[in-house]
Amino acid sequence: MEFPMHDNDLSAIVEADRAHVWHHMFQHAALDTRDPRIIVEGKGMLVWDQNGREFLDAVSGGVWTVNVGYGRERIANAVRDQILKMNYFAGSAGTVPGARFAEILTSKTPGLTRMYYCNSGSEANEKAFKMIRQIAHQRYGGRKTKILFRERDYHGTTIGTLSACGQKQRAEHYGPFAPDFVEVPHCLEYRKQWDVENYGLRAAEAIEEVILREGPDTVGALCLEPVTAGGGVITPPSGYWEKVQEICRTYDILLHIDEVVCGMGRTGEWFGYQNFGIEPDFVTTAKGVASGYAAIAVMLTTEEVFSMFRDAPEDPLGYFRDISTFGGCTAGPAAAIENVAIIEEEGLLANSKAMGARLKSGLEALMDKHPLIGDVRGLGLYAGAELVADRATREPLSEKLVGAVVADCDRQGVIIGATNRSVPGFNNTLCFSPALIADEGDIDRILDAVDTALEKVAAEV
Ligand code: PMP
């Protein structure tokens, strides 16, 4: 295939990358035997590498980010116009696109009226953690500093967010961690921890048990992904969220929902939590906010939380003493305004639901043919297929063979993902998060690639 726009020899770029770039989440020894992959161009659902090879991107830029697809001129134009007019101002001053985007996004989040700007999912979660701790000090005299997080959930790469990491291997080499982060069990019914009928209720009660063990007056907040992403695309069982919400209210515990992946239409609603009718106190979101056209993340909260800081004038340091230097970049909100307009004008929430249903039912149909698929999960354009060596025992398929499925799809020109290696024993879920513009042909091509890959790998087993 040809590059659509690009025809330069990129071998010098490949060598510069090999010599100087330290890639994310990557063991560089792999480059002893092959070239690094450089993604050179993107248009819609497609990307091209340095050799002009075309791929259908079923993971929105590798990590579920480019929700509106590649090559959006209107986002580029809006960012260009904005940065020529005023590119940056931070501190206590606001900016025009900052105010406009805050108004636009909070109109999608009834009850969450305040937005705090920053740059990454980790940072947004840190902001929420800091607010929760400050509330513990200002309101509860230093009690309620504990933050509960869940097994298999991930909230970021900083030492603070790794202190709340449910994917143990991801944190393993980076301790010691911040105190007062406490783990609660996950809710993945396929990997049952309790043999009960109402699994959702039981998994929520397990959170309550931790709260009672720790002492409710020591617990300030519960931080959860609405649908766990890298930990296995875990959709909650029915009844789970209602009980979680009730528990938070009973024990006066703030509910922090990490929408870094699920936000901005990924699950078919603006935010994942909106599928479950819950009312969070904090929402953090990042990846899809500007679909990767600019680095922007936001933390949303209620007027009630906001007023705890605004109405603390008797404490001269009672405001939120935090800043994010690049929270003052206007490129982020300028891009995000267009991103939201595209999602609305092109009906991408509805498309996320419709194409997500096609993807999920297509994966379920593949289960009839491929015993390697043990479970299919997902919501909106966000799906996972958990691979097993044996359906009866649910023994996870080895990392090597899961990798072989991903690699074979890649050879067929379709980039898919797999849960990361940091969930010991359970790094066996194929992940799909195509851009929300995916059409039926794209979904079918993804399914065909998986079908072919599983056939080949099954022959090896
Ligand atoms: N929360 C979740 C649920 C995530 O998946 C991620 C990133 N994969 C983060 C937080 C951290 O986001 P970032 O990499 O932008 O810091």
Side-chain angles (χ1 to χ4, degrees), residues 72-140:
R72 292 287 189 168
E73 268 187 67
R74 70 186 274 187
I75 300 184
N77 291 338
V79 170
R80 180 187 182 281
D81 292 350
Q82 178 57 50
I83 61 183
L84 287 176
K85 191 175 171 79
M86 223 293 298
N87 69 306
Y88 174 83
F89 209 93
S92 54
T95 66
V96 172
R100 279 185 56 219
F101 181 60
E103 185 177 48
I104 290 168
L105 197 64
T106 55
S107 75
K108 319 288 182 208
T109 58
L112 301 170
T113 50
R114 292 281 164 179
M115 182 190 280
Y116 196 85
Y117 282 108
C118 50
N119 313 123
S120 71
S122 306
E123 194 188 2
N125 285 328
E126 289 277 3
K127 303 308 184 198
F129 292 169
K130 284 180 72 179
M131 284 191 184
I132 290 159
R133 287 280 168 87
Q134 192 166 340
I135 290 168
H137 291 291
Q138 281 181 196
R139 203 175 210 213
Y140 298 103

Side-chain angles (χ1 to χ4, degrees), residues 50-294:
Q50 71 264 30
N51 302 312
R53 262 198 84 198
E54 181 183 291
F55 296 90
L56 176 69
D57 175 10
V59 284
S60 293
V63 290
W64 13 52
T65 298
V66 190
N67 284 11
V68 299
Y70 299 98
R72 292 287 189 168
E73 268 187 67
R74 70 186 274 187
I75 300 184
N77 291 338
V79 170
R80 180 187 182 281
D81 292 350
Q82 178 57 50
I83 61 183
L84 287 176
K85 191 175 171 79
M86 223 293 298
N87 69 306
Y88 174 83
F89 209 93
S92 54
T95 66
V96 172
R100 279 185 56 219
F101 181 60
E103 185 177 48
I104 290 168
L105 197 64
T106 55
S107 75
K108 319 288 182 208
T109 58
L112 301 170
T113 50
R114 292 281 164 179
M115 182 190 280
Y116 196 85
Y117 282 108
C118 50
N119 313 123
S120 71
S122 306
E123 194 188 2
N125 285 328
E126 289 277 3
K127 303 308 184 198
F129 292 169
K130 284 180 72 179
M131 284 191 184
I132 290 159
R133 287 280 168 87
Q134 192 166 340
I135 290 168
H137 291 291
Q138 281 181 196
R139 203 175 210 213
Y140 298 103
R143 301 185 319 278
K144 276 191 171 293
T145 48
K146 288 182 189 162
I147 296 173
L148 307 186
F149 64 96
R150 190 172 53 185
E151 243 181 304
R152 284 175 168 257
D153 279 7
Y154 174 72
H155 302 297
T157 184
T158 59
I159 295 294
T161 52
L162 281 179
S163 306
C165 187
Q167 301 175 7
K168 287 293 148 260
Q169 288 179 2
R170 214 157 171 163
E172 207 165 60
H173 297 90
Y174 306 107
F177 295 108
D180 278 6
F181 287 90
V182 180
E183 190 176 75
V184 301
H186 69 71
C187 64
L188 174 57
E189 196 163 5
Y190 186 67
R191 299 283 168 197
K192 267 188 201 299
Q193 309 192 32
W194 308 277
D195 197 13
V196 291
E197 205 151 286
N198 192 338
Y199 199 81
L201 184 66
R202 182 65 193 88
E205 283 169 355
I207 298 177
E208 188 171 25
E209 284 161 16
V210 174
I211 293 167
L212 292 172
R213 184 193 75 204
E214 295 291 322
D217 65 338
T218 70
V219 179
L222 171 65
C223 174
L224 301 176
E225 290 182 65
V227 175
T228 298
V233 191
I234 304 173
T235 40
S238 63
Y240 182 73
W241 277 110
E242 291 87 329
K243 185 66 185 171
V244 168
Q245 178 90 69
E246 185 194 310
I247 291 167
C248 287
R249 290 199 173 124
T250 303
Y251 300 107
D252 190 18
I253 288 170
L254 295 162
L255 182 56
H256 166 194
I257 305 290
D258 178 341
E259 297 268 357
V260 169
V261 173
C262 293
M264 311 307 290
R266 177 55 59 201
T267 66
E269 300 291 341
W270 281 106
F271 290 95
Y273 76 84
Q274 292 167 345
N275 292 283
F276 310 115
I278 46 182
E279 293 174 2
D281 301 288
F282 295 96
V283 162
T284 45
T285 190
K287 293 171 190 277
V289 174
S291 288
Y293 285 83

